[in-house]
Amino acid sequence: MKILGKFPSTRLRRTRKKDWVRRLVSENNLSTDDLILPIFIRDGKNKIEKIKTMPGINRYSIDKVNKVVENACKKKIPLIALFPYTPNKKKNNIGTEALNEDNLVCKALRSIKKNFNEIGVMCDVALDPYTNHGHDGILKDQDVHNDKTLEILKKQSLLQAQMGCDIIAPSDMMDGRVGVIRKILDKNNFEDTKILSYAVKYASNFYGPFRDAVGSNKKLKGNKKSYQMDFKNCNEALREVGFDIKEGADMVMVKPGMPYLDIIKLIKDNFKIPVFSYQVSGEYSLIKNGIKNKLINNEAILESLISFKRAGSSAIITYFALEIADKIKNN
Ligand code: PBG
């Protein structure tokens, strides 16, 4: 591949001189089709509650969620992701509430599916919003027990599919979960329900604001290093993705986002499967606070999102989805 020319006949600045020519030669772009909007839901009626650690982001009671979804539809955002803030009294050590067909996620799914059919809904599969210890699975001898957890996760997945969930997104990092989930879905005639595996989820320090948002932060005992990946590793990411594809994943996710652009690219180059990225809560709040404090300007949002596209992402879960959708339209 010949990419070099010679100065002065070759001047790379020539194609940077004006906005129209920059637009003409741009290699990547962001469209609203690339966006996934996360929505936090809470109990009660007529409630819109600010999340302190995530400026500009709220928790909505189910009657208020429809307005947000309507807004997302209007902006042509293809997919929303639901995250519940479960009241403390409904949490226990095995996360039973995850299997309650009247839990927040199930109620929201029914309501959204009744009112909208042009937007997809994805739901996390993991127990952390429901356990009183904040871990994603069932504890045994102070560690999350893989196979006992799988038993609940597959039931949680089936329930969400029955409630109308379009994309089941296991975020728990148990071994073998994609396989058992695919199997139970297929056995119950949900062969078209998709699986987006959080295949590469690192034990990250960027999840703090999210854990506040779903109320698991103060509860979390210890850390999640015995199941989420070590941030020193990348070969292991390939093994995770390889297994999940074999087990039936339709799409895979890399999480967090910006510190892991190399991983997104590595996976895209090695497996020709849709790769999604998750610009997580810590990344969001850092950028948002930077803008608020005038350390960086607003364009940093677009820059951060384009970096995922450059790395090879098909879509991005981002708390900036609504905000940036307006901007893209105006461009
Ligand atoms: C839990 C889950 C987490 C996030 C999404 N699903 C946090 C965790 O693993 O502790 C984090 C998302 C974010 O930080 O925005 N299974």
Side-chain angles (χ1 to χ4, degrees), residues 130-248:
Y130 309 104
T131 53
N132 54 16
H133 44 70
H135 281 288
D136 291 27
I138 309 280
L139 292 184
K140 191 166 179 253
D141 305 326
Q142 319 215 31
D143 187 22
V144 172
H145 191 282
N146 198 86
D147 298 10
K148 281 189 199 311
T149 301
L150 290 185
E151 285 309 306
I152 296 212
L153 295 184
K154 67 184 196 197
K155 291 182 190 153
Q156 184 186 21
S157 305
L158 179 59
L159 177 61
Q160 290 177 350
Q162 287 164 336
M163 297 295 139
C165 178
D166 301 289
I167 301 188
I168 300 286
S171 70
D172 53 286
M173 289 299 279
M174 295 305 111
D175 286 323
R177 86 266 214 226
V178 173
V180 300
I181 292 172
R182 188 68 271 162
K183 201 158 150 202
I184 196 168
L185 291 178
D186 289 354
K187 216 169 88 190
N188 288 276
N189 302 322
F190 289 102
E191 63 274 358
D192 286 335
T193 303
K194 291 157 259 305
I195 298 179
L196 163 60
S197 172
Y198 286 76
V200 189
K201 178 169 178 180
Y202 286 92
S204 169
N205 299 291
F206 288 88
Y207 302 146
F210 174 94
R211 290 178 187 166
D212 279 328
V214 300
S216 70
N217 213 6
K218 287 198 198 91
K219 296 193 165 299
L220 183 63
K221 297 201 176 79
N223 56 55
K224 301 191 180 184
K225 291 183 182 176
S226 86
Y227 44 107
Q228 298 179 347
M229 266 184 62
D230 185 341
F231 55 69
K232 300 188 191 86
N233 297 351
C234 57
N235 286 335
E236 196 182 338
L238 291 170
R239 299 184 75 198
E240 282 286 0
V241 171
F243 279 123
D244 285 2
I245 293 175
K246 258 199 184 145
E247 290 175 28

Side-chain angles (χ1 to χ4, degrees), residues 97-149:
E97 180 66 3
L99 304 184
N100 174 2
E101 64 172 55
D102 278 320
N103 69 21
L104 285 169
V105 167
C106 292
K107 277 197 212 151
L109 272 170
R110 292 197 294 265
S111 151
I112 294 167
K113 281 288 145 187
K114 202 169 78 195
N115 292 297
F116 303 91
N117 52 29
E118 73 272 40
I119 195 162
V121 185
M122 81 171 238
C123 296
D124 256 35
V125 169
L127 299 182
D128 55 313
Y130 309 104
T131 53
N132 54 16
H133 44 70
H135 281 288
D136 291 27
I138 309 280
L139 292 184
K140 191 166 179 253
D141 305 326
Q142 319 215 31
D143 187 22
V144 172
H145 191 282
N146 198 86
D147 298 10
K148 281 189 199 311
T149 301

